[in-house]
Amino acid sequence: MSIEDRISTVKEEIKQLKNEINLKKSNLSESSLRTLASDIPPLETSELVVRVHLTGHLGKVYGVHWAEDSNHIVSASQDGKVIVWDAQAQCKIHAIRLRSNWVMDCAFSPSMNLVACGGLDNLCTIYDLSQEEEGRINIYRELSSHTGYVSCCRFLDDQRIVTSSGDMSCILWDIESGSKITEFADHNGDVMSLDLKPGDTNTFASGACDATSKLWDLRSGTCEATFEGHQSDINSVQFFPDGNAFGTGSDDATCRLFDIRAGRELMEYTNDNILCGISSVAFSISGRLMFAGYDNFSVHVWDVLKGNDTAILEEHSNRVSCLGVSKDGMALVTGSWDKELKIWA
Amino acid sequence: MGNKQKKRKIQKKKQKEKNERINKSLQEGNNFEKEMKLLVLGTGDSGKSTFVKQAQILFKDGFDEKQREVFKQAIRNNLILHMKLLINGVYDFGLDLSKSNEKLAKRFLEISDRTQPDQQIAETISKLWEDSSVKEVFDRRSELQIPDTANYYLDAIDRIVEKNYRPTDKDIVFCRIPTTGINELKFSVQEHPWRIVDVGGQKSERRKWIHQFDDVSMIIYVVAMSEYDQNLYEDENINRMYESLELFDSIASNRIFTRTSIILVFNKMDIFEEKIKKTDPKICFKNYSGGCDFEKAKKYITKQFIKVVKTKRRKVFPFYTQAANSESIKKTFETIIETVLENSNI
């Protein structure tokens, strides 16, 4: 048998084994989340309304992130600018000029001193907001090592940051020295998103174009668990507030909830009318709601327990590319290709 | 008014002023909305970055000293890398080096890939370059991954290793540095801001970033006309021109670019002219029957690409260039600029 034939036979075997495992798993499960939650009364939410429109970007907004004070927001746009906003005062605090326009994500450090962004230049660039010179903020560090675009970046603290990349790996960096501490390579596709586990400084989750999400150990660099289920690229990954589960959004038009302890998918959030991909997901502070940004310009608010759509927010005039819930749970910010940011409450 | 209130009022005023200043700076000095963007696409080694370098020479008065320094290092380092490829080629083809060169070669292969050649290394390279087997490998370079311009630099090694060596524009244009990430150039023509972007360095899933370029004025698709008998660096079982046709197909049929004009730049025509005398394109295109005829081959290959663009509504212009011929490049750019401005009704 030729090598190609041997590979296809083995692939078939693997597929069959996986199906058998999944069958055994579902036979063992006592119930599904949907069934268990059927007795819970449906949520009575007040309608989410846009409270603030943040305008100023001249190009598509690709990334947005709340600061820990639940008031400042950082956003990145294709116009080559990263803007730091004061949400309550509805004004701009900083406008940083990027070296490369092609940015894909941005982030605030927990201390709010640093801001990071990454994109098609394969770099993660860090800016120190406290070092403003004549109204300009210069590059503090340029983290270079990825051989593909940087899709997402999240600070552990002012000294360390984790990035995910189109080169199929994630990297933990030491910012001061600008060097790699650990490399996380196990995905078979571009890694599109990552999220740090709340209350645990040693774990993070990633989602990739190989349709899997993985949990990683920051110290050892090993992949602790892999979650399958999605049928296409996973674009966004976000931990459930208690850190024991995480939500994902994918090009397969579904969002899913994966439980870490059960090691499996708990629920799929979709319906027949949804035919486009999800770019970003975020949980409400209680975890009862999951916000998902869609390519068809809308944001859906899913009831995490019952699995249904509780609301569809349609205010953007182009794809919703990024969103986030503030730490105090009071507001949702959405960023879109329509160049605007909107804050909802 | 109490002190605290006063302070807060002043703070608020400052905040507002800063906001105004930022708003102003965002509006001015940002040509983003007026910018004409050109996206350069093509498979590896087709000549995309060379195209951008030529734009730099044409529109930005060439390269500054800092850039020249970077190229100088790369050119010198390439001397070592390319000679290593040639020597390995000798072994791969089962050829023999002369006895004295055999010893030199063994020692030479142990030099680190990141070295810059000193006098001794340069002499070694010169001697090896004169070996008939090495020359034969260079002739058969299509079977390996040896760049066509390797001989240009090896012939000029004395000039290159000289202490005061300053790379000429031609040295820079021919220099092969694989692009990583993104390579772009901003320039101004007819008082208009332009930007040419080469994303050749991304080996990742195009679908995840191609939407960043959904508003480009034109796509410049570069094809090395001479690669019809070469295989990919990434996968030696795949013919480079096939790969180029496939990529072109996926770009041309991408929903994002339904209305975008495409220009086809067939590059390395000089190398093609030499190659076509000996190698029949039948090796790549089974249905081709024109033989080793330059005009027939050129026409046939062009047709293979043009027929990929199925919608008649879309305009596809073919151009033929070669790196050293600035006239052909200039003409290509002139047409690009003319077409883009025409289509945008400016």
Side-chain angles (χ1 to χ4, degrees):
Chain A
M1 258 203 288
S2 73
I3 293 194
E4 278 114 23
D5 288 334
R6 275 160 61 188
I7 292 180
S8 0
T9 327
V10 171
K11 275 190 174 171
E12 264 308 306
E13 265 188 65
I14 293 178
K15 208 170 155 194
Q16 274 185 8
L17 283 170
K18 279 188 177 175
N19 284 338
E20 277 175 43
I21 293 177
N22 283 334
L23 201 59
K24 281 226 164 107
K25 266 188 177 176
S26 37
N27 285 340
L28 280 175
S29 62
E30 302 157 332
S31 181
S32 76
L33 179 58
R34 209 180 286 267
T35 322
L36 286 172
S38 54
D39 288 340
I40 297 177
L43 207 53
E44 274 182 40
T45 44
S46 50
E47 217 182 289
L48 270 180
V49 173
V50 177
R51 307 288 172 177
V52 179
H53 293 271
L54 295 175
T55 56
H57 277 304
L58 296 173
K60 305 202 201 84
V61 176
Y62 269 94
V64 88
H65 194 222
W66 283 99
E68 298 263 306
D69 69 354
S70 297
N71 184 37
H72 288 85
I73 294 174
V74 64
S75 65
S77 157
Q78 220 188 5
D79 62 1
K81 295 273 159 52
V82 157
I83 298 180
V84 175
W85 315 76
D86 177 319
Q88 266 181 14
Q90 297 186 35
C91 64
K92 303 174 183 67
I93 309 288
H94 298 288
I96 304 173
R97 189 135 181 238
L98 303 175
R99 253 193 209 158
S100 168
N101 276 25
W102 318 105
V103 64
M104 296 174 84
D105 193 29
C106 58
F108 247 121
S109 69
S111 69
M112 291 170 47
N113 286 328
L114 305 175
V115 146
C117 66
L120 280 174
D121 56 1
N122 297 6
L123 305 170
C124 176
T125 313
I126 316 268
Y127 296 88
D128 186 340
L129 296 181
S130 60
Q131 305 287 326
E132 197 171 356
E133 258 177 47
E134 293 167 22
R136 290 188 58 184
I137 295 184
N138 297 318
I139 295 178
Y140 176 61
R141 286 290 183 273
E142 236 173 31
L143 306 175
S144 166
S145 180
H146 278 302
T147 52
Y149 59 81
V150 171
S151 52
C152 185
C153 49
R154 286 293 178 261
F155 284 93
L156 274 165
D157 47 47
D158 278 5
Q159 289 81 39
R160 295 172 302 161
I161 191 169
V162 187
T163 54
S164 61
S165 164
D167 67 7
M168 308 201 225
S169 75
C170 295
I171 293 179
L172 168 66
W173 307 80
D174 173 282
I175 298 174
E176 177 72 41
S177 65
S179 56
K180 277 195 279 196
I181 301 177
T182 319
E183 204 172 308
F184 306 88
D186 202 50
H187 273 297
N188 285 322
D190 298 13
V191 188
M192 300 306 298
S193 171
L194 71 97
D195 191 31
L196 305 172
K197 186 173 175 188
D200 175 356
T201 49
N202 201 43
T203 310
F204 75 94
S206 62
C209 289
D210 59 4
T212 69
S213 26
K214 288 177 188 279
L215 275 183
W216 305 85
D217 179 310
L218 273 165
R219 265 185 305 242
S220 62
T222 48
C223 168
E224 309 220 294
T226 302
F227 298 83
E228 297 188 352
H230 274 296
Q231 307 286 316
S232 182
D233 305 350
I234 293 177
N235 297 316
S236 177
V237 142
Q238 238 246 348
F239 271 97
F240 187 77
D242 75 350
N244 288 319
F246 60 88
T248 52
S250 159
D251 274 348
D252 68 4
T254 70
C255 294
R256 293 178 200 230
L257 181 69
F258 292 91
D259 187 292
I260 297 176
R261 290 170 301 189
R264 52 171 291 185
E265 181 187 312
L266 287 188
M267 182 99 90
E268 197 181 295
Y269 305 90
T270 191
N271 61 49
D272 291 332
N273 297 325
I274 299 176
L275 301 165
C276 66
I278 294 108
S279 62
S280 45
V281 296
F283 285 99
S284 62
I285 197 175
S286 67
R288 181 63 190 270
L289 298 174
M290 178 158 67
F291 302 96
Y294 286 75
D295 291 351
N296 67 4
F297 317 174
S298 66
V299 174
H300 286 235
V301 185
W302 295 95
D303 180 325
V304 174
L305 291 180
K306 299 181 85 69
N308 62 302
D309 241 330
T310 63
I312 300 180
L313 311 174
E314 292 174 305
E315 283 273 339
H316 279 293
S317 50
N318 205 326
R319 183 188 290 207
V320 174
S321 56
C322 47
L323 50 79
V325 172
S326 58
K327 190 165 181 195
D328 63 4
M330 298 294 282
L332 167 76
V333 67
T334 53
S336 159
W337 284 7
D338 67 6
K339 310 176 193 171
E340 287 193 5
L341 294 161
K342 295 190 199 288
I343 303 182
W344 313 67
Chain B
M1 201 183 295
N3 266 336
K4 254 201 189 155
Q5 275 182 302
K6 232 188 187 171
K7 253 194 176 169
R8 234 179 286 152
K9 214 182 179 197
I10 296 175
Q11 220 183 35
K12 253 204 162 164
K13 191 171 176 229
K14 271 197 177 162
Q15 215 180 37
K16 206 174 171 208
E17 282 171 4
K18 186 154 193 212
N19 188 50
E20 291 304 314
R21 259 183 288 139
I22 293 178
N23 278 335
K24 207 168 171 230
S25 80
L26 284 176
Q27 287 298 323
E28 318 168 330
N30 192 331
N31 290 321
F32 183 71
E33 288 173 320
K34 291 185 272 160
E35 220 176 47
M36 302 291 184
K37 289 193 273 272
L38 303 169
L39 180 62
V40 183
L41 292 169
T43 49
D45 219 354
S46 52
K48 298 181 294 294
S49 6
T50 307
F51 202 72
V52 177
K53 281 182 212 165
Q54 280 151 339
Q56 182 145 5
I57 294 174
L58 271 174
F59 303 112
K60 291 209 97 165
D61 298 324
F63 309 95
D64 60 38
E65 289 317 306
K66 223 168 142 192
Q67 287 170 312
R68 263 179 225 272
E69 183 62 39
V70 172
F71 281 111
K72 182 169 92 174
Q73 306 251 5
I75 290 169
R76 286 178 167 172
N77 185 239
N78 277 350
L79 287 167
I80 295 181
L81 293 177
H82 295 164
M83 182 48 79
K84 278 193 178 186
L85 287 172
L86 285 165
I87 296 179
N88 284 322
V90 168
Y91 298 145
D92 285 342
F93 289 155
L95 301 169
D96 294 307
L97 293 166
S98 73
K99 269 229 159 101
S100 53
N101 285 340
E102 186 57 58
K103 275 210 196 118
L104 281 175
K106 282 229 157 64
R107 256 186 288 146
F108 180 73
L109 285 177
E110 288 173 12
I111 298 176
S112 150
D113 276 355
R114 291 175 199 230
T115 326
Q116 292 271 295
D118 58 21
Q119 199 55 38
Q120 203 194 20
I121 296 179
E123 274 170 20
T124 308
I125 295 178
S126 289
K127 283 217 182 75
L128 291 168
W129 180 229
E130 282 170 19
D131 190 297
S132 55
S133 293
V134 169
K135 281 265 158 59
E136 188 180 328
V137 169
F138 182 72
D139 274 341
R140 291 170 62 182
R141 65 190 176 282
S142 290
E143 297 168 54
L144 304 167
Q145 300 292 342
I146 295 173
D148 295 305
T149 50
N151 64 336
Y152 172 81
Y153 296 102
L154 289 166
D155 283 342
I157 190 167
D158 291 328
R159 174 172 63 89
I160 294 172
V161 300
E162 227 178 72
K163 203 170 148 201
N164 298 324
Y165 171 59
R166 184 176 175 271
T168 61
D169 281 356
K170 199 172 179 186
D171 291 346
I172 291 178
V173 163
F174 280 167
C175 174
R176 167 131 186 80
I177 307 183
T179 317
T180 46
I182 202 160
N183 176 23
E184 59 184 313
L185 185 76
K186 288 202 275 196
F187 57 95
S188 182
V189 169
Q190 297 195 24
E191 284 171 19
H192 243 94
W194 292 75
R195 183 193 290 258
I196 185 166
V197 186
D198 160 23
V199 202
Q202 285 294 341
K203 301 281 172 250
S204 47
E205 295 288 359
R206 211 175 322 114
R207 66 175 181 273
K208 300 322 265 187
W209 49 260
I210 197 75
H211 47 69
Q212 293 250 8
F213 304 101
D214 61 3
D215 61 346
V216 294
S217 316
M218 183 177 264
I219 290 179
I220 300 169
Y221 192 80
V222 185
V223 182
M225 189 65 109
S226 58
E227 68 187 4
Y228 62 87
D229 70 338
Q230 287 170 280
N231 289 339
L232 289 184
Y233 172 75
E234 297 92 340
D235 186 335
E236 302 247 339
N237 289 320
I238 302 180
N239 176 288
R240 285 192 183 196
M241 201 159 252
Y242 275 173
E243 182 79 359
S244 189
L245 268 165
E246 242 187 64
L247 175 62
F248 186 56
D249 191 0
S250 70
I251 303 281
S253 52
N254 193 320
R255 265 183 314 141
I256 294 180
F257 301 125
T258 14
R259 297 232 185 85
T260 321
S261 319
I262 298 182
I263 199 169
L264 267 168
V265 175
F266 289 101
N267 196 25
K268 307 198 185 185
M269 290 308 289
D270 49 348
I271 302 172
F272 174 70
E273 198 171 355
E274 275 311 304
K275 194 177 276 193
I276 194 69
K277 293 178 187 162
K278 287 183 283 170
T279 317
D280 192 326
K282 226 183 164 76
I283 191 177
C284 174
F285 299 104
K286 291 190 208 82
N287 293 330
Y288 173 72
S289 54
C292 289
D293 179 311
F294 177 78
E295 283 301 328
K296 288 200 182 130
K298 174 179 160 188
K299 238 184 177 164
Y300 188 82
I301 296 177
T302 306
K303 196 162 153 224
Q304 301 315 301
F305 278 86
I306 295 206
K307 72 181 186 187
V308 159
V309 185
K310 292 158 196 132
T311 357
K312 289 189 194 103
R313 205 169 31 131
R314 184 109 57 83
K315 310 174 198 185
V316 181
F317 311 85
F319 277 87
Y320 306 91
T321 63
Q322 54 205 56
N325 185 335
S326 40
E327 202 42 52
S328 62
I329 309 288
K330 197 160 173 234
K331 275 218 173 85
T332 311
F333 271 109
E334 276 169 11
T335 312
I336 291 175
I337 290 169
E338 205 183 282
T339 316
V340 168
L341 290 178
E342 227 173 64
N343 288 343
S344 59
N345 301 319
I346 289 183

